[in-house]
Amino acid sequence: MPRFGVLGPLMIESPSGRRTTPRGDHQRALLAVLLLNANSPVPVDALVETLWPETPPKSYSSNLHTYVSRLRARFEGLEIERDPHGYRLVVEPGDLDLLSFREAVAAGKAVARAGDPAAAAGHYRRALAEWRGPVLSGLHIPRLDADVARLESERLAAFEDCVDAELSDGRHGELTGELQAMITEHPLRERLAAQLMVALHRAGRQADSLAVHRDLRATLVEELGVEPGAEVRRVHAAVLRGEDPVPSAKQAPVFPICQLPPDIADLAGREDEIAKLSGLLGDGAGVPVAVITGQPGAGKSTLAVSTAHRLRRSFPDGQLFVPLAGASSPRDLATVLGDLLRALGVTGPAIPDDVDARAAVYRGRLADRRVLVVLDDAASPDQVRALLPGTPGSAVLITSRRRLSGLAGADRLHLAPLSGAEAMTLLARLAGPDRVGAEAADAERIAKACGNLPLALRIAGSRLAMRPGLPLGKLAGKLEDEVSRLDELQVSDLQVRGSIALSYQALSPAARRAFRSIGRCRTLDLPAWAVSTLVDGADNEGSDEAIDELVEASLLEATGLDPTGEQRFRVHDLVRVFATELGRELETRAERVATVAKVSDAALCLADTAARRLPRTVPMPLSDHDVPVQPLAGELVERLLRDPGTWFSVERANLVAAVSSLCAVGWRRKALRILERLSAYLYLHSHYTDMRTAYETLRDAAREADDRHIVVIAEANLAVLLHVRGEYERAVEGYRECSKELAELGDLATQAWVETNLAHSLVGLGRAGESLHAATQARELSTVEDSGTHARRAESAALHRLGKISEALEIDRRILAKARESGDERQLGVALQGLSWSLMLDGRPEEALATIEESVWVLRRTTAKSALAKSLRTQGAILAGAGRRDGAVKAYENARRLAGALEERPRELSCTRAIAASWIGDGRADRAIPVLRRCLDEFRAMGGKPATGLTLHVLRRAYEAVGETKAAEAAGEEAKRLEVPHDANASTLVRLLLSLTEPAPA
């Protein structure tokens, strides 16, 4: 059933909250007259006169019937009955504001007669809240003029009855403004004038009260020629004597007193915060003061009220609640103290005019009592200090968007957004647990878009509650669109944008500019160097003051020092969206681009310097093109990059996000340069998921822009990640396609790296001839030392498979000589590993063992964990050949642990295979078989024929050990089919692995 309204513009509100009105003038007039006479028949003659005040048409009866039918059809649930006397609209009292108004007024009169003015005032206020403006405003129907005037009189009488009830209840401070406004509208209304005189007198404003009488008398004499009536004269005389003209129905509030708003029923989480505040406020020492700070919408007031309710027993004399309106229009301290004194039983002339005197009386009333004072939304320490009690026993709980740093001795609790679980709990309480549980993934999307901010979640939950049929995914999709997110986060008088705007408007012009600048950066966790650069350059002295002001206003959160010693700041996502909106409105695109370019240049230059100080392990080139001049001071750069790995670890998430952001605005080349440098760290520490995500983002953006070169470079790096996971077939396919594209584009330097990587992948597939061809081509294309060395390593590996050990040995010796000259320990360790294996294949086990042990020793001093894992695996094989079984197994176990942590599956599997081989020698072949089978399945899936053949040889020995002859023969036959002639690498490894399957000497 819709809800109807006539106390204001004619209105029909559907159950979903949508408001409409009939389209035609005649339908609006018909509905209006039926609603004003709801549940009573309206004669046809009266309806005709309403619709056609001049001359009705001949077909008026038919027309009237048509209008009624259209109303019924247009508004579902509208019940209009026809009876012998005319038409009657049937409606429940709660479905028409006029009936709700009259019902509430009747209830107010009843409880007023029963002697309960507080309850009466509540009913009257509920009645007056139904009025949205003049009756049927915007719709003039001459036939209804008398009805409209009568209703306006009812409204005025209800207001006067309400004032009488509130005056009798001792409430007068908040009435003066309302009464003065009503007197302006009705200057001859004596009852209103008398009530205003009473309210002013009780507020200690005797002179103002007498002035009301003087103005009323002058108006009555001038316009009507009469004196004020008896009631006004009685009130006037009482005011002159200093007496209360209307004694309150109850005494002024005395202790205990509780002014707290109702505790919220659907509070989610915050138990830890409530426990902390309870401990701070209840410690009994002095006058404890706790300040709850936090960004707009964090739920500071809600937490304060809930905490205060839980502490009521600890403060038996009462709880005062003082709204200070600091975020919008800070209240005058004298007014606040006046209201507090009246609440504490000090009235009339007993309230001093001087602010300091009022504060003294206030402290005197609280002396030696246990009262909790809640000061909500404080603007500054000055607004708070005079409201602090003076004696131990009481406590103060303050909420503020500002940190109130100047308030000495206060404990502070910064209120962060809700946790993920708490956010889901709040949504479930608002929208329904079954609904949220059934659409949990979409509910999580909503919570994430709201940044887990309680105000935003409450708005989203309320919108869902208002529309039970709205899919959560649809609302989530709207909230995920940053352009419209803040438009969606508003319902009734709640809105996120307005809440943040109050804090923004209170900032200085410089801080406002800084706030808008920070909004241009999509990163939410910012280092100080980035914030300073965004605000106005790292060397700008005024930037520090603006940043401090934003932190004080809770629009920017300082989160402490990172491992590089740099201060970090956090911006809530919704705050950033608001700042971005303002930037688009108030600044030119050129200004916005310049700021973002400056901070992205600084990030690229830092990443470039850091990457060049790390060992270059990722097998792709590092381009020197398009790197700008570092805008940051040299001293700052050196401090940040004292340990380049630490800097990368701190900024890793930001740099990955920056790649996406730069791609989104079309700055793909800069995104590539940052990612090339970040990859030096990511590949070194096997953060392959981040690499894959970033390069896929870059590739997709470049494809959309038809940027062929960047697409190929991204694909080449993605092939590297396939390679490292052992997906050799896919890697080879990717490398071949990229090499062809790079040749067409003329990028021979990158092609050299890709051909080298192709050579290594072909070795893994057992295609040594093709591998050697690719490695040779890579060496010929190489223009820099790094790529040439990498190519020569690939040549050596291919030569091993072709049985050309002496050639491989010569290459490895040259690589080692250059590595020793470079002084780079990682290069030295890698070169030693390569040489050690060539020595082993050449039949020089003692030299091989000494060389690999030096390699492990050198690499342990570096961060090159992948190279160390490879050397440890080689050490295990060489130790096995030397008959040092325990040392071999330990080396393999250490290598496997490292490879597993680095997600290098092929190396992890090869170590697992060797360890399983040792179990066969220990008499545990039954345990080794299932492990070897799993290794075999994975090697087959990778396409690695050499690795598959090696695993089959070990599995054959395991089957033989448990007596499974047929399975052993099958494994052996398949292994022989996979053997490649002249593959010294495979034949040597078979021998070394099988040595582990032999029983250990007694």
Side-chain angles (χ1 to χ4, degrees), residues 788-949:
T789 300
H790 194 47
R792 283 190 288 274
R793 288 197 195 104
E795 281 187 276
S796 175
L799 290 168
H800 287 167
R801 270 68 175 183
L802 294 171
K804 300 179 179 182
I805 307 304
S806 60
E807 294 179 39
L809 191 58
E810 182 59 29
I811 289 174
D812 290 329
R813 290 190 191 282
R814 289 200 300 268
I815 292 174
L816 178 59
K818 288 189 176 294
R820 290 197 188 278
E821 289 175 7
S822 73
D824 185 321
E825 288 195 324
R826 188 198 69 84
Q827 288 188 37
L828 176 60
V830 171
L832 286 165
Q833 183 275 329
L835 178 61
S836 72
W837 190 239
S838 287
L839 289 167
M840 189 67 186
L841 297 182
D842 198 41
R844 306 181 193 185
E846 294 82 4
E847 290 179 61
L849 183 57
T851 304
I852 194 60
E853 286 180 343
E854 183 184 358
S855 172
V856 170
W857 179 77
V858 169
L859 288 173
R860 284 192 190 280
R861 302 202 305 250
T862 72
T863 57
K865 302 301 181 186
S866 178
L868 175 59
K870 185 175 182 179
S871 285
L872 284 167
R873 183 182 64 175
T874 302
Q875 184 184 39
I878 294 174
L879 286 170
R884 293 165 58 178
R885 179 192 189 82
D886 291 343
V889 172
K890 183 177 181 181
Y892 275 122
E893 287 176 341
N894 289 335
R896 182 175 67 171
R897 185 164 50 252
L898 273 175
L902 298 174
E903 299 180 26
E904 294 178 347
R905 190 59 177 158
R907 188 166 295 147
E908 184 182 8
L909 285 172
S910 64
C911 293
T912 300
R913 177 182 60 203
I915 294 167
S918 74
W919 295 344
I920 300 171
D922 292 340
R924 295 181 288 167
D926 56 337
R927 179 184 174 190
I929 289 173
V931 173
L932 290 168
R933 281 175 173 167
R934 287 195 294 272
C935 291
L936 183 62
D937 290 341
E938 291 199 49
F939 280 132
R940 280 174 172 162
M942 291 175 184
K945 291 182 180 179
T948 302

Side-chain angles (χ1 to χ4, degrees), residues 72-240:
R72 289 177 181 141
R74 174 84 188 281
F75 302 103
E76 185 179 353
L78 183 62
E79 187 176 351
I80 303 176
E81 297 179 350
R82 183 75 165 92
D83 67 19
H85 301 288
Y87 289 92
R88 177 175 61 185
L89 190 151
V90 180
V91 64
E92 294 295 324
D95 293 331
L96 175 60
D97 57 8
L98 173 58
L99 297 182
S100 298
F101 164 75
R102 286 174 171 164
E103 186 177 65
V105 168
K109 291 180 182 295
V111 295
R113 287 193 297 270
D116 189 348
H123 287 299
Y124 286 129
R125 286 293 176 187
R126 181 162 55 86
L128 294 169
E130 296 288 346
W131 286 75
R132 295 169 288 111
V135 176
L136 297 175
S137 57
L139 184 64
H140 181 239
I141 304 172
R143 175 72 173 70
L144 301 180
D145 285 347
D147 294 328
V148 169
R150 184 183 71 253
L151 284 174
E152 291 292 345
S153 296
E154 286 185 43
R155 178 189 189 184
L156 186 56
F159 174 79
E160 291 170 336
D161 288 344
C162 179
V163 172
D164 278 346
E166 290 178 339
L167 289 173
S168 296
D169 193 46
R171 292 147 56 189
H172 48 269
E174 63 269 36
L175 289 174
T176 55
E178 267 188 293
L179 286 166
Q180 285 168 335
M182 293 296 283
I183 285 286
T184 302
E185 289 183 40
H186 306 281
L188 301 178
R189 192 82 173 184
E190 294 189 36
R191 186 180 179 191
L192 287 174
Q195 291 172 330
L196 178 57
M197 291 170 67
V198 173
L200 290 169
H201 178 64
R202 284 189 181 173
R205 298 167 59 184
Q206 186 180 35
D208 291 339
S209 178
L210 295 173
V212 172
H213 176 268
R214 185 168 56 251
D215 292 343
L216 174 67
R217 181 177 181 277
T219 301
L220 289 172
V221 170
E222 181 179 343
E223 294 192 21
L224 302 178
V226 298
E227 291 284 340
E231 176 62 14
V232 172
R233 293 197 301 273
R234 184 189 67 77
V235 171
H236 180 239
V239 171
L240 288 172

Side-chain angles (χ1 to χ4, degrees), residues 402-440:
R402 308 186 70 83
R403 288 181 51 80
L404 304 185
S405 301
L407 192 61
D411 291 294
R412 288 171 180 81
L413 172 69
H414 180 80
L415 195 58
L418 298 174
S419 68
E422 291 168 344
M424 292 292 284
T425 298
L426 180 56
L427 270 181
R429 289 178 180 174
L430 294 166
D434 294 340
R435 186 177 177 191
V436 169
E439 302 177 68

Side-chain angles (χ1 to χ4, degrees), residues 962-978:
V962 297
E964 294 188 26
T965 307
K966 289 185 178 180
E969 290 176 353
E973 288 174 2
E974 185 179 356
K976 286 181 180 179
R977 287 196 299 271
L978 292 174

Side-chain angles (χ1 to χ4, degrees), residues 567-852:
Q567 175 69 57
R568 307 295 293 192
F569 296 95
R570 182 181 295 127
V571 186
H572 191 276
D573 196 28
L574 293 177
V575 173
R576 181 191 59 77
V577 170
F578 177 77
T580 304
E581 279 189 358
L582 289 175
R584 285 196 296 262
E585 293 173 9
L586 301 177
E587 290 159 2
T588 66
R589 185 179 186 279
E591 289 173 326
R592 301 197 301 272
V593 168
T595 302
V596 176
K598 188 161 49 179
V599 74
S600 59
D601 282 352
L604 172 54
C605 291
L606 285 169
D608 183 67
T609 303
R612 296 180 188 281
R613 295 180 181 181
L614 289 178
R616 184 74 185 172
T617 58
V618 57
M620 287 295 289
L622 183 67
S623 172
D624 292 327
H625 299 302
D626 310 314
V627 178
V629 177
Q630 173 61 265
L632 300 180
E635 182 181 347
L636 172 61
V637 171
E638 286 306 311
R639 178 173 64 77
L640 292 173
L641 303 183
R642 189 174 296 118
D643 181 345
T646 298
W647 184 81
F648 268 127
S649 70
V650 168
E651 299 297 351
R652 169 182 157 195
N654 283 345
L655 292 171
V656 172
V659 171
S660 177
S661 299
L662 292 170
C663 287
V665 298
W667 295 359
R668 296 176 301 280
R669 188 68 54 183
K670 182 175 283 187
L672 173 60
R673 296 297 173 247
I674 288 178
L675 183 50
E676 285 175 341
R677 283 138 184 85
L678 175 61
S679 295
Y681 171 80
L682 296 178
Y683 194 85
L684 180 64
H685 295 278
S686 300
H687 297 309
Y688 301 133
T689 300
D690 279 353
M691 277 188 70
R692 182 168 56 254
T693 299
Y695 273 112
E696 285 175 348
T697 300
L698 179 62
R699 178 199 61 193
D700 295 345
R703 277 179 179 168
E704 189 173 341
D706 198 23
D707 191 335
R708 186 179 167 196
H709 190 205
I710 291 183
V711 169
V712 176
I713 291 175
E715 289 285 13
N717 280 276
L718 291 170
V720 169
L721 299 178
L722 293 172
H723 184 170
V724 80
R725 291 204 308 270
E727 298 184 40
Y728 299 123
E729 292 283 7
R730 291 179 62 197
V732 164
E733 182 181 347
Y735 286 140
R736 288 197 190 281
E737 184 62 32
C738 289
S739 180
K740 179 181 176 182
E741 291 274 340
L742 289 165
E744 292 177 3
L745 291 167
D747 186 352
L748 303 184
T750 306
Q751 186 189 5
W753 283 94
V754 171
E755 284 289 334
T756 302
N757 295 336
L758 172 62
H760 283 291
S761 290
L762 288 168
V763 163
L765 290 171
R767 291 150 65 177
E770 293 178 63
S771 173
L772 183 60
H773 176 75
T776 303
Q777 184 173 347
R779 178 167 50 79
E780 293 171 352
L781 288 169
S782 297
T783 58
V784 294
E785 183 62 33
D786 280 355
S787 61
T789 300
H790 194 47
R792 283 190 288 274
R793 288 197 195 104
E795 281 187 276
S796 175
L799 290 168
H800 287 167
R801 270 68 175 183
L802 294 171
K804 300 179 179 182
I805 307 304
S806 60
E807 294 179 39
L809 191 58
E810 182 59 29
I811 289 174
D812 290 329
R813 290 190 191 282
R814 289 200 300 268
I815 292 174
L816 178 59
K818 288 189 176 294
R820 290 197 188 278
E821 289 175 7
S822 73
D824 185 321
E825 288 195 324
R826 188 198 69 84
Q827 288 188 37
L828 176 60
V830 171
L832 286 165
Q833 183 275 329
L835 178 61
S836 72
W837 190 239
S838 287
L839 289 167
M840 189 67 186
L841 297 182
D842 198 41
R844 306 181 193 185
E846 294 82 4
E847 290 179 61
L849 183 57
T851 304
I852 194 60

